[in-house]
Amino acid sequence: SLASAVETVKKLEIKLADFAKKHKKEIQHDPAFRKRFLEMCAPLGVDPLSSEKGFWGMLGIGEFYYELAVKVAEVCIASRSRNGGIISASEVKSILEKRGTKFKFAASSNSSNYTKDDIIACTKKLSVLGSGFRTIQVGKTTMIVSVPTELDHDHMEIMSLAQQHADRGVTLPQIMDDTGWNKDRAKRAIKLLLTQGMAWLDVYRGQNYYWFPSVWKEGLEEDEEVAT
């Protein structure tokens, strides 16, 4: 019955709170443990990130993600002139690390005190501001979009293709060959990306090459990781 189901959920929430009390330090200091804990909370509708009262507030997760979200937003906004409002979560993390950004909540002497997953989680909270913040998947890379521009499947396809050819950019004929699209469809998708500053145009020997700053950098970083 419904009453029985509600009672079961309440009992599980109590057990979850007991678990959180027992493992408070791990949740605060171990990014991997924190991720798993949040995954446990989701099915029960418990959102420690938004809870500021009672035990969940004392746990401090909401405050930590709020602080992190502010820093992530700063990086995204500051980089818009370069990437048009789209940047990989890993690049955001790299920039924050270079700045030496630390948080008391998750201070750790053994490892980074926040991960790419934390950045992705707090970005989802930024989406409620209605300012365009959201995450999208380009190939295997999670990108953060900080502008309200609507990107459809075609735009994702082009950026994914650009990521595969990060060392030389992509051309219109190449996009058409790889996707099977006609010229009008390919040009329409490229036009929006150029207009928004998400893509750059480079003309070399009469051929237009399209570069995507964030995707290009992410692709090169992946190549370096494979090489090492």
Side-chain angles (χ1 to χ4, degrees), residues 133-165:
F133 278 95
R134 62 196 185 279
T135 59
I136 60 173
Q137 204 67 26
V138 176
K140 296 181 180 179
T141 303
T142 300
M143 310 292 288
I144 299 174
V145 180
S146 61
V147 290
T149 304
E150 288 297 326
L151 300 175
D152 61 23
H153 174 75
D154 286 3
H155 303 126
M156 300 296 101
E157 189 77 16
I158 290 176
M159 285 191 283
S160 181
L161 178 62
Q163 191 177 55
Q164 297 171 33
H165 302 283

Side-chain angles (χ1 to χ4, degrees), residues 40 73 123 126 145 170 183 228:
M40 289 168 57
T123 300
L126 283 171
V145 180
V170 293
K183 189 173 184 179
T228 54

Side-chain angles (χ1 to χ4, degrees), residues 151-202:
L151 300 175
D152 61 23
H153 174 75
D154 286 3
H155 303 126
M156 300 296 101
E157 189 77 16
I158 290 176
M159 285 191 283
S160 181
L161 178 62
Q163 191 177 55
Q164 297 171 33
H165 302 283
D167 59 333
R168 57 182 180 276
V170 293
T171 65
L172 193 63
Q174 185 178 21
I175 293 171
M176 293 166 60
D177 288 342
D178 281 38
T179 62
W181 300 343
N182 60 36
K183 189 173 184 179
D184 287 341
R185 181 176 177 180
K187 288 180 69 175
R188 183 168 57 249
I190 278 290
K191 182 179 180 180
L192 181 138
L193 295 169
L194 283 171
T195 301
Q196 295 300 319
M198 295 180 181
W200 294 351
L201 172 63
D202 178 36

Side-chain angles (χ1 to χ4, degrees), residues 1-15 44:
S1 66
L2 178 60
S4 177
V6 171
E7 184 64 26
T8 299
V9 171
K10 287 183 178 179
K11 289 180 179 179
L12 288 173
E13 288 180 353
I14 292 173
K15 289 184 177 180
L44 296 176

Side-chain angles (χ1 to χ4, degrees), residues 65-80 85 87 92 96 99 103 119 122-123 125-127 129 131 133 144-147:
Y65 276 101
Y66 172 78
E67 290 182 39
L68 181 58
V70 170
K71 298 299 182 183
V72 169
E74 288 176 355
V75 171
C76 291
I77 293 171
S79 65
R80 279 178 184 169
I87 184 172
V92 171
L96 290 177
R99 290 181 178 178
F103 301 92
I119 289 173
C122 78
T123 300
K125 293 302 172 183
L126 283 171
S127 65
L129 299 177
S131 54
F133 278 95
I144 299 174
V145 180
S146 61
V147 290

